Amino acid sequence: MPLVTILDEMKKAQAVGYAIPCFDTFEMHGTLGIIEALEGQRAPGIIGLYTSMFSRPNPEALTNYVKVLSEASAVPISIILDHGASFEHCIMALNAGFTDVMYDGSKLPLAENIATTKMVVRAAHAVGAGVEAELGHVGTGRDYRAFGGQQKGFTEPDIVERFVEETGVDMLAIAIGTAHGLYDGDPVLALDLLAEIRRRVEIPLVLHGGSGLSDDQFRAAVAGGIQKINVFTNLAVLSRERMLAHAAHDDVSLHSMTAEIRLAFRDECARLLEVFGTVGAADA
Ligand SMILES: [Zn+2]
């Protein structure tokens, strides 16, 4: 299908009540697994490419690989810049044909986050791309006990409306108790805070740090108004586990080994699509 912004699919997700996944990829095998899962489950999805690729030479290599496969897919797949580190990275992603960009100014003072997000929105909308920003700060799992677990970095509901209004942003990542990477401790979601934020703005809300949440927590987040869920770490962990298990077999080749990455991504992405309620949404 043609590569377009995910925003129209987001509206459908919001109306019906499911979440669209953003699965990150760094290489070819995981990408194949993600697309197989989306096609198999007849679900729309987003492939996320991390901002660090724009600090390295030839980011168009992986970008084009993902673009060609996404465009050839029978379900809607969009490509987002994940955690865009600067205005420049966002422009590079738009120039490379990303359908959407996330600008992450969540560690900056509010005024600066607003100012740069606003510039990114202006540039992205000029070429028909959607923009996600982050308000509050989703920390890392290894700091969870001291940060997210203490409700540090949580999105302040009082500034959400102002942020959305002043920036014109299309989707908002919020901090309600998740963290990136593996959790030190058990994640606790502040569903009351999610409800409060959901009451104040209408744009799709995004949950980062999905790896490590239980299926019930995912379902509660979706029921509470989350429309986009980012997952990567668990896909990497499962890939590693499958490769280690496979390595113990007698007949291991490079191809059979790397196939385990594709299969790990495919199986877990397909499972998460069921949890998120997204199965069949591409046909609705
Ligand atoms: Zn994230």
Side-chain angles (χ1 to χ4, degrees), residues 82-83 102 134 138 180 208-209 230:
D82 199 22
H83 291 283
M102 176 196 186
E134 182 169 325
V138 177
H180 293 108
H208 282 246
N230 281 38

Side-chain angles (χ1 to χ4, degrees), residues 200-212:
R200 297 194 182 219
V201 287
E202 287 180 358
I203 63 170
L205 297 176
V206 183
L207 193 71
H208 282 246
S211 299

Side-chain angles (χ1 to χ4, degrees), residues 66 106 158 183 254:
V66 174
S106 65
D158 285 344
Y183 287 82
L254 173 68

